[in-house]
Amino acid sequence: MEWDAETIVRLRALWDEGHSTAEIGRRLGVSKNAVVGKAHRLDLPARPSPIRRDGAGPSKRTRSPRRISAGPTLPPLVSTHGAAQAPRPPAVQAQPRPAASPLAIRPAPAPMAPPVPVAPAARVQVAPRPFARTVACCWPIGEPGTKSFRFCDGDALLGKPYCQEHAQLAYVKVRDRREDAA
């Protein structure tokens, strides 16, 4: 679009009257975005936000409290039937480091010992198993977020994330659904 002097004068007048960019665009026969772009290039005064009509300034946003989970909700990668779980090491909290002054002198790093050559380990050939990650059943039991929530933890079927009982519930044949609906 070519902005001639007459159109720019009309734009400035409508802008000063307080019309919306969409209304100015309708009256001038151009798009709202063309009006916004030209107003910006002409350095016209900014308009108040149409969302905040009360003229209030930006409100100070408060951060929502951080969610604290009760613990892991996924089943272990290995089946725990009859095996005791290894104790978890305590979580280490990061300590804030004091800010170093720009004139602080740092000591030279201690010399490192030469690397010790390590004999290559014997490679064990493992047969690939599809979906080998899950050994325990991943069927959720209970309401997530509660202390009683857990996973089934039964032995998962080969190639499936569920045990036999839960796989029958999860995997329903399409024709079975049609027969149930009839």
Side-chain angles (χ1 to χ4, degrees):
M1 144 138 217
E2 292 291 323
W3 288 90
D4 57 359
E6 181 184 329
T7 311
I8 293 174
V9 169
R10 286 183 61 202
L11 169 66
R12 286 182 190 268
L14 293 170
W15 190 269
D16 291 338
E17 289 175 15
H19 292 287
S20 70
T21 54
E23 179 61 27
I24 295 171
R26 280 192 289 274
R27 291 185 182 191
L28 297 179
V30 296
S31 71
K32 174 183 125 176
N33 287 339
V35 172
V36 171
K38 190 61 176 178
H40 180 72
R41 289 189 296 278
L42 292 173
D43 201 26
L44 295 178
R47 308 301 285 273
S49 170
I51 297 171
R52 289 192 203 110
R53 296 201 184 271
D54 61 355
S59 63
K60 186 166 182 161
R61 297 182 75 180
T62 58
R63 297 184 91 179
S64 59
R66 192 169 180 196
R67 293 181 69 187
I68 300 172
S69 63
T73 58
L74 293 177
L77 294 179
V78 213
S79 181
T80 57
H81 288 292
Q85 286 186 332
R88 287 184 147 183
V92 178
Q93 300 245 342
Q95 298 293 328
R97 292 176 36 173
S101 67
L103 302 175
I105 300 173
R106 294 192 173 132
M112 295 182 62
V116 178
V118 178
R123 299 192 92 183
V124 177
Q125 193 69 13
V126 178
R129 231 181 60 170
F131 308 107
R133 180 181 168 272
T134 305
V135 176
C137 178
C138 293
W139 189 267
I141 298 173
E143 184 68 28
T146 62
K147 288 186 177 188
S148 62
F149 178 73
R150 63 183 183 85
F151 289 89
C152 168
D153 200 30
D155 291 329
L157 296 173
L158 182 63
K160 303 252 189 269
Y162 305 120
C163 64
Q164 178 68 38
E165 177 187 353
H166 291 128
Q168 288 175 345
L169 294 171
Y171 302 107
V172 179
K173 294 181 182 175
V174 176
R175 65 174 164 61
D176 290 346
R177 286 189 206 152
R178 281 190 227 134
E179 289 172 3
D180 290 342

